[in-house]
């Protein structure tokens, strides 16, 4: 019997489309019979439920109940579904207020996990990097609908979320037009405006407000009035949850912070809508898309990227390249050290991508 290497895989942070595809392709690539013949060992794959929380139990039975064996049969259809069948959480074993990392490290050992694949954004990967520093072989796969992770041009879930927003804007256009209203659509995107900007461009929004450029409310109103004079019957304004009015602060829904220290944003759309009504006299409605953006069937691109990232993660494991994050750079799949991407957000390049006069995507592309 050849040696067995156990891969543990988990998804952490906010869910999104493409996660199940990545889990499927890690599993399929690791268990592929053809490749097995070329190795002097065999892989086995287990899924850990609910992100890092799944490795936090001190009770053996509870711990084992949070681990499931993944086979080709189990994951066969997974790429067609959104969310994560493994479950997720924002649990942080290195939480400064309650550091449980010793339990996590012991559990990895007790479960016989030889290598961990962590699918996540900055927070999940920061835990992976710390575990790696503490001696655990890890490999990362990037995901977040915000697409704000440095070191990669793509993060799983982004394109599906853009599709969802575009579809909703299409639906809002008819009612906006019928009532001659302004519609403000608030998207996610706590630090980066990629989601708002790309969805705004895809849906043909009149105005898009992003966190990277503080907006002037007078200018927003001026644009709307100019547009109406030019014959516009209604307006679509897309605003990122992290966008803020010049001289103001981000709008938080409550004063709660998660285990990684992030507060829950939300509400800037309502503020913008109220200011438009006040400044223009035009009836304005706000739709906060919130978690609807994370839902839906993964688009073709997220299924493919989940596949490529999943395969690449196993390729890294084959080569024992620990501490690496699979990434997509200029159309090519490669990898970067996880530590190099942490704390460096990928933000919209305002001078080249954003029109600060029209509050929209740049009209200078070449
Ligand atoms: O994953 C990042 C993100 O999509 C942010 O844009 C947003 O602020 C956050 O998730 C909300 O996450 P939740 O409400 O699920 O904790």
């Amino acid at each position: 019997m050849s040696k067995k290497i156990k891969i543990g895989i988990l998804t952490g942070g906010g869910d999104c489309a493409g996660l199940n595809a990545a889990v499927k392709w890690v599993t399929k690539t690791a268990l592929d019979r053809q490749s097995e013949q070329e190795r002097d060992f065999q892989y086995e794959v287990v899924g850990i439920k609910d992100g890092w929380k799944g490795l936090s139990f001190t009770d053996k039975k509870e711990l084992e109940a949070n681990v499931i064996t993944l086979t080709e049969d189990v994951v066969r259809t997974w790429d067609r579904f959104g969310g994560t069948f493994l479950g997720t959480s924002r649990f942080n074993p290195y939480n400064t207020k309650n550091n449980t990392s010793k339990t996590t490290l012991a559990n990895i050992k007790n479960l016989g996990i030889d290598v961990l694949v962590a699918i996540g954004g900055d927070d999940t990967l920061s835990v992976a990097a710390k575990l790696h520093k503490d001696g655990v072989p890890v490999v990362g796969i990037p995901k977040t609908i915000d697409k704000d992770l440095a070191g990669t041009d793509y993060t799983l879930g982004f394109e599906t979320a853009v599709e969802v927003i575009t579809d909703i804007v299409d639906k809002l256009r008819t009612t906006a037009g019928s009532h001659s209203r302004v519609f403000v659509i608030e998207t996610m995107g706590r630090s980066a405006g990629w989601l708002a900007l790309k969805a705004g461009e895809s849906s043909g929004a009149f105005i898009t407000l992003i966190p990277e450029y503080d907006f002037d409310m007078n200018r927003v109103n001026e644009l709307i009035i100019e547009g109406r004079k030019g014959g516009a019957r209604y307006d679509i304004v897309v605003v990122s949850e992290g966008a803020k009015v010049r001289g103001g602060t981000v709008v938080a829904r409550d004063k709660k912070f998660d285990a990684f220290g992030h507060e829950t944003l939300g509400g800037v759309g309502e503020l913008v809508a109220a200011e438009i009504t006040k400044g223009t006299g035009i009836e304005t409605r706000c739709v906060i898309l919130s978690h609807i953006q994370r839902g839906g069937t993964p688009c073709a691109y997220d299924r493919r990227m989940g596949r490529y990232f999943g395969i690449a993660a196993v390729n890294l494991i084959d080569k024992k390249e620990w501490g690496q994050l699979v990434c997509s750079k200029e159309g090519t799949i490669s990898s970067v050290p996880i530590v190099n991407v942490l704390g460096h957000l990928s933000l919209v390049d305002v001078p080249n991508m954003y029109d600060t006069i029209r509050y929209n995507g740049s009209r200078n592309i070449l």
Side-chain angles (χ1 to χ4, degrees), residues 191-220:
S191 312
W194 294 115
L195 202 52
L197 185 61
K198 296 300 150 186
E201 290 175 352
S202 304
S203 62
F206 181 50
I207 292 173
T208 299
L209 306 173
I210 58 174
E212 292 86 342
Y213 190 81
D214 292 355
F215 57 92
D216 173 359
M217 211 46 238
N218 290 331
R219 180 62 189 146
V220 172

Side-chain angles (χ1 to χ4, degrees), residues 14 90 143-146 188-190 241 291 294:
R90 292 195 185 277
K143 75 88 220 178
T144 158
I145 65 166
D146 292 4
M188 282 190 177
R190 80 174 32 251
E241 65 178 355
H291 296 80
R294 298 235 197 100

Side-chain angles (χ1 to χ4, degrees), residues 126 323-324:
S126 71
Q324 291 289 113

Side-chain angles (χ1 to χ4, degrees), residues 52-58 91-108 127 131 134 259:
W52 299 119
K53 189 170 171 225
L55 291 171
S56 71
F57 302 99
T58 43
F91 186 87
N92 179 7
Y94 291 91
N95 191 334
T96 43
K97 289 184 195 134
N98 181 24
N99 190 320
T100 56
S101 60
K102 280 210 173 84
T103 308
T104 307
L105 286 160
N107 283 342
I108 292 169
V127 174
L131 289 173
D134 285 338

Side-chain angles (χ1 to χ4, degrees), residues 23 73 90 103 149 187 201 249 254 278 301 343:
V23 175
D73 261 355
R90 292 195 185 277
T103 308
L149 197 65
T187 70
E201 290 175 352
T249 50
D254 48 46
K278 205 163 102 193
Y301 192 66

